[in-house]
């Protein structure tokens, strides 16, 4: 329930705009937020209930290391989902 499956961000390029689609196959609501190299959000697939789908379009304006995460709270542990594995980084090379 606390992973992003089939997420391959190895080919993202500076200046590229991508549409992200997420289907929540977990038991809890989840989101997909992306932060730029300065830690500022560039976009977010909003909280999506189990079984539902949502999407968002994001543009990668700068090269550098980006972070993706789900910061919704697990009601059982009180921890953000990112603290239980729903986070990662990827690098966008210069154009």
């Amino acid at each position: 329930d606390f992973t992003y499956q089939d997420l391959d961000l190895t080919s993202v390029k500076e200046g590229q705009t991508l549409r992200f689609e997420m289907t929540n196959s977990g038991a809890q609501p989840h989101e997909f937020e992306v932060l730029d190299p300065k830690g500022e959000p560039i976009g977010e697939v909003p909280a999506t209930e189990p079984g539902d789908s949502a999407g968002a379009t994001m543009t990668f304006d700068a090269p550098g290391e980006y972070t993706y995460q789900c910061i919704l709270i697990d009601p059982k542990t009180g921890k953000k989902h990112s603290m239980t594995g729903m986070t990662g980084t990827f690098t966008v090379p210069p154009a």
Side-chain angles (χ1 to χ4, degrees):
D1 199 20
F2 298 106
T3 62
Y4 293 108
Q5 296 177 356
D6 303 320
L7 182 61
D8 180 5
L9 299 169
T10 58
S11 63
V12 179
K13 305 281 189 247
E14 179 184 7
Q16 187 174 15
T17 299
L18 295 173
R19 175 82 181 164
F20 291 92
E21 295 289 334
M22 182 176 81
T23 299
N24 184 351
S25 59
Q28 296 187 36
H30 293 293
E31 66 171 353
F32 177 75
E33 178 183 45
V34 177
L35 307 176
D36 70 12
K38 295 178 181 177
E40 297 295 324
I42 66 162
E44 173 184 35
V45 176
T48 306
E49 294 295 323
D52 288 346
S53 297
T57 302
M58 301 177 208
T59 300
F60 299 87
D61 289 328
E65 186 173 83
Y66 285 74
T67 301
Y68 59 88
Q69 62 186 3
C70 175
I71 58 171
L72 298 181
I73 304 295
D74 179 356
K76 292 179 185 177
T77 65
K79 294 181 179 180
K80 293 179 183 180
H81 292 182
S82 59
M83 296 173 71
T84 59
M86 291 193 81
T87 188
T89 61
F90 62 99
T91 300
V92 173

